[in-house]
Amino acid sequence: MKLHVAIAQFRPVKADPHASLDRVEAALAEAARLEPMPDLVVFPEATLTGYFLEGGVREGARTATALFEDLQERYARVADSTVPLDVAIGFYELGDRRVYNAALYAELGGTSPRIVHRHRKVFLPTYGVFQEERFVESGPGIAAFDTRWGRAAVLICEDAFHSISGTLAALDGAEVIVVLSASPARGAGPGSGLPGNVARWDHLGGAMATEHGVFVVVSQLVGFEGGKGFAGGSAAYTPSGECLVRGPLWDEALLSVTFDTEEQVSARAEEPLLSDLERSWTRLLLNSPGARVTHGPRTLDDGSADPEDRGVGEDREVT
């Protein structure tokens, strides 16, 4: 099966969701004119407002339902709404009387437009130029979900820096992992002129794809906010780690890429790391440090207690 994806490397209007939605509408119109028309359009983290809002996140936040209704209305303005289009987009979400750095995955148009999934960013950076944990809540976890074309998962920026995130998504059946990012440019390799964070994202995307035999899409914010620049460099990777398309630096772009799902079958057959992990996952969890505290000593392959762990877990108070 062929999966057609458009990656919107996007510059929002800072702290102005309505103006940013006008620009999202223009990007949807451009995507609808592509040949072939994409099955999925991916926008970056904080598409509606820009990233560095700090205490202003409350004013820029909206509910997932309100955003879905806006997207549905705007898609109908610029395209044949009988044709379905999936959209993944980052925004500050108002939900449960809290504010989250979130991503909405929605199916627009067609016979059954709907909110398919909502991901709330789990890992909130609060170091260097980042202050997220001061202003938004952390999400509960990472899960894959079914779409009309297959199974996917969404991560937001630092989520992807932790290898466990891709692992959880792949173990839950994700065939495509979509990463929404707002990554400020920082660092540069000697003589390369390439921001260090862009080079690191290239490594992260390819490594995640290869380790789990999944397609990876990374959509990056571009532009400047308060003297901090977002360099772009969006990309898409095959299950063998090949980069199929790369966005320009510093400019907006709508990148088109086609995934052939048969490549996933061959990649996983040649390097069956995910199936190895699936066989060992339960044993790894049971024998992890946290499990040893709460459930007792490690076990050997024959089910007996590990002699080195005798007494572990006995009469231990868990706090």
Side-chain angles (χ1 to χ4, degrees):
M1 187 189 89
K2 304 291 187 182
L3 174 65
H4 307 294
V5 180
I7 308 171
Q9 186 164 290
F10 187 82
R11 180 185 292 112
V13 180
K14 180 71 176 291
D16 192 337
H18 297 291
S20 294
L21 275 168
D22 289 342
R23 307 197 73 250
V24 168
E25 181 179 326
L28 292 176
E30 185 180 352
R33 293 192 294 268
L34 291 175
E35 289 291 343
M37 181 174 167
D39 302 293
L40 167 65
V41 180
V42 182
F43 291 88
E45 178 182 14
T47 291
L48 295 194
T49 56
Y51 176 74
F52 286 109
L53 295 187
E54 298 189 342
V57 294
R58 294 186 298 277
E59 288 71 30
R62 59 177 52 202
T63 67
T65 299
L67 175 56
F68 168 70
E69 290 173 350
D70 278 337
L71 292 172
Q72 175 71 0
E73 178 184 346
R74 289 169 181 272
Y75 176 60
R77 289 181 194 170
V78 298
D80 180 356
S81 61
T82 65
V83 179
L85 176 69
D86 289 9
V87 172
I89 186 168
F91 71 114
Y92 285 110
E93 181 203 7
L94 181 62
D96 306 326
R97 300 185 183 277
R98 300 178 183 183
V99 178
Y100 300 90
N101 184 342
L104 177 72
Y105 190 105
E107 183 179 327
L108 307 179
T111 58
S112 56
R114 63 193 177 106
I115 294 175
V116 178
H117 183 75
R118 178 190 58 205
H119 173 70
R120 292 167 171 170
K121 189 174 182 180
V122 175
F123 295 99
L124 304 178
T126 304
Y127 50 81
V129 299
F130 305 103
Q131 299 292 327
E132 276 195 61
E133 200 167 43
R134 292 180 56 197
F135 304 107
V136 298
E137 301 283 340
S138 178
I142 293 162
F145 53 93
D146 292 319
T147 74
R148 59 193 174 87
W149 49 260
R151 197 157 171 82
V154 175
L155 305 177
I156 301 176
C157 209
E158 194 189 313
D159 290 345
F161 279 62
H162 300 266
S163 58
I164 189 65
S165 302
T167 296
L168 292 172
L171 286 171
D172 203 21
E175 302 160 274
V176 177
I177 297 178
V178 177
V179 183
L180 283 54
S181 176
S183 182
R186 52 199 186 278
S192 70
L194 184 69
N197 66 305
V198 175
R200 185 174 184 185
W201 272 107
D202 193 36
H203 170 74
L204 286 170
M208 184 185 298
T210 303
E211 181 178 358
H212 303 301
V214 296
F215 295 96
V216 173
V217 177
V218 181
S219 178
Q220 293 281 6
L221 211 69
V222 290
F224 288 84
E225 297 180 21
K228 303 176 185 70
F230 298 91
S234 304
Y237 304 87
T238 70
S240 59
E242 177 189 0
C243 182
L244 290 179
V245 66
R246 190 185 310 283
L249 294 181
W250 309 112
D251 288 326
E252 288 185 290
L254 186 68
L255 312 172
S256 182
V257 64
T258 297
F259 294 145
D260 183 350
T261 56
E262 290 301 313
E263 291 184 42
Q264 191 169 46
V265 177
S266 58
R268 288 182 172 182
E270 292 172 8
E271 199 163 0
L273 297 180
L274 180 61
S275 61
D276 290 346
L277 177 61
E278 288 170 335
R279 286 193 298 271
S280 302
W281 181 243
T282 300
R283 178 159 48 88
L284 285 169
L285 287 178
L286 289 174
N287 293 318
S288 68
R292 270 181 270 151
V293 170
T294 57
H295 298 295
R298 294 174 294 187
T299 59
L300 302 178
D301 289 341
D302 62 3
S304 61
D306 188 334
E308 295 183 3
D309 267 356
R310 281 177 182 156
V312 173
E314 298 175 5
D315 300 323
R316 293 184 65 176
E317 182 178 351
V318 180
T319 59

